[in-house]
């Protein structure tokens, strides 16, 4: 696990965008794993800017969303499929048919989960998975207690997550109780994982998953098993790390040929 501490969310977004740009320029048919929430927004803003100003093209790229609410009708403003379109894929030139998300509006949720796993595999697997982290250490919607080997499946949201996400809805009663999410095992299959986090509110979760013992009680700790996990955070999110000086030293002395 590589931990990179930068001054602000803008620099975090730019560095994560560097990793994505390098991938897409090297592999024009790259497969991106796309996350929602506020954390990836600086990445999407930066990629949209590079598309507009530098001609960075995503025409061959496909994207797979991490998760989705169950029960929101297709096209609902807050469905993650719509959020990803609005915040990222519609702002660049990713082909609409190459943007995928788990289907949370079907009667056959189990079948849809299986189908989603198969679609990711058929695309060749995820090259780079963007992640945020919840205040309780969740990634995707893998709440505490999730199997570290889990695959795409239905989950019940922790009440804290419903409270955290209520800001996107008119009232908390509108936040669904159920979701479909890529599992922790699914996420581990991505060839590169880039997790971004900002602000003091994420400092405890970051400390726990970077430096704490691996445990299903803090699902993001599973990233300690990933051979290429890059954690890019701002100073506030890094403020509770015991070994921050070590991470800064390693990054300051990183061989340039390694890239992001
Ligand atoms: C949501 C999403 C996660 C996201 C997390 C943090 O519940 N399912 O993918 O990482 O919340 O969101 P934010 O980045 O807004 O803090």
């Amino acid at each position: 696990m590589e931990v990179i501490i930068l001054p602000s969310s803008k620099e975090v977004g730019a560095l994560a965008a560097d990793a994505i740009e390098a991938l897409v320029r090297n592999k024009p048919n790259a497969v991106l794993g796309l996350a929602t929430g506020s954390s990836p927004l600086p990445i999407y803003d930066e990629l949209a800017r590079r598309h507009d100003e530098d001609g960075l093209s995503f025409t061959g790229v496909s994207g797979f969303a991490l998760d989705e609410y169950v029960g929101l009708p297709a096209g609902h403003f807050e469905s993650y499929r719509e959020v990803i379109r609005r915040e990222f894929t519609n702002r660049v030139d990713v082909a609409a048919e190459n943007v995928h998300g788990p289907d949370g509006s079907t009667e056959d949720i189990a079948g849809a989960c299986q189908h989603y796993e198969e679609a990711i595999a058929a695309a060749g697997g995820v090259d780079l998975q963007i992640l945020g982290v919840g205040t309780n250490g969740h990634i995707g919607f893998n709440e505490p207690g999730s199997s570290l080997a889990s695959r795409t499946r239905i989950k019940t949201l922790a009440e804290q997550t419903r409270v955290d996400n209520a800001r996107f809805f008119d009232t908390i009663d509108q936040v669904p109780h159920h979701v479909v999410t890529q599992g922790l095992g699914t996420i581990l299959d991505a060839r590169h994982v880039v997790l971004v986090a900002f602000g003091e509110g994420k400092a405890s979760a970051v400390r726990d998953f970077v430096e704490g013992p691996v445990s299903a009680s803090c699902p993001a700790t599973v990233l300690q098993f990933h051979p290429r996990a890059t954690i890019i955070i701002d100073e506030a999110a890094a403020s509770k790390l015991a070994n921050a000086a070590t991470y800064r030293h390693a990054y300051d002395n990183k061989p340039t040929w390694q890239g992001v």
Side-chain angles (χ1 to χ4, degrees), residues 16-256:
D18 286 349
I20 294 164
E21 175 168 0
L23 169 68
V24 169
R25 290 204 187 274
N26 188 44
K27 185 178 180 186
N29 63 346
V31 178
L32 298 178
L34 301 172
T36 52
S38 43
S39 303
L41 297 182
I43 308 176
Y44 298 147
D45 288 345
E46 180 61 15
L47 290 174
R49 190 193 66 73
R50 293 182 194 190
H51 170 69
D52 293 341
E53 295 175 17
D54 307 336
L56 179 62
S57 175
F58 296 83
T59 48
V61 166
S62 43
F64 285 85
L66 254 186
D67 46 14
E68 184 56 277
Y69 290 110
V70 167
L72 295 186
H76 187 285
F77 192 76
E78 289 304 336
S79 80
Y80 280 176
R81 190 84 87 92
E82 285 306 305
V83 171
I84 278 171
R85 285 209 183 103
R86 201 161 62 234
E87 302 292 357
F88 178 49
T89 57
N90 281 359
R91 299 167 70 194
V92 296
D93 54 355
V94 177
E97 65 270 24
N98 288 346
V99 184
H100 310 274
D103 187 353
S105 63
T106 173
E107 297 275 292
D108 179 15
I109 291 287
C113 293
Q114 177 65 29
H115 176 261
Y116 200 58
E117 288 278 337
E118 289 164 6
I120 294 172
V126 171
D127 289 299
L128 187 150
Q129 176 65 58
I130 299 168
L131 289 178
V133 63
T135 53
N136 63 2
H138 76 230
I139 49 177
F141 269 137
N142 293 281
E143 297 286 26
S146 292
S147 159
L148 300 180
S150 50
R151 311 301 304 187
T152 303
R153 71 221 183 284
I154 190 168
K155 289 291 288 179
T156 304
L157 286 184
E159 203 46 27
Q160 181 60 54
T161 305
R162 292 186 70 242
V163 170
D164 286 350
N165 288 4
R167 67 190 192 278
F168 297 113
F169 294 82
D170 292 335
T171 69
I172 190 166
D173 296 335
Q174 295 174 354
V175 184
H177 282 276
H178 295 107
V179 293
V180 173
T181 182
Q182 286 189 33
L184 296 172
T186 318
I187 293 169
L188 279 189
D189 285 347
R191 287 180 270 277
H192 185 191
V193 171
V194 176
L195 184 149
V196 293
F198 319 110
E200 218 179 321
K202 296 291 172 73
S204 297
V206 167
R207 175 199 56 208
D208 292 348
F209 88 80
V210 171
E211 297 180 336
V214 174
S215 163
S217 296
C218 181
T221 57
V222 79
L223 298 178
Q224 293 180 30
F225 286 121
H226 197 285
R228 192 175 177 207
T230 308
I231 314 305
I232 315 178
I233 54 181
D234 71 355
E235 293 285 350
S239 59
K240 293 188 177 170
L241 289 170
N243 298 320
T246 306
Y247 313 136
R248 289 184 211 278
H249 178 78
Y251 187 61
D252 289 346
N253 292 285
K254 186 174 180 176
T256 47

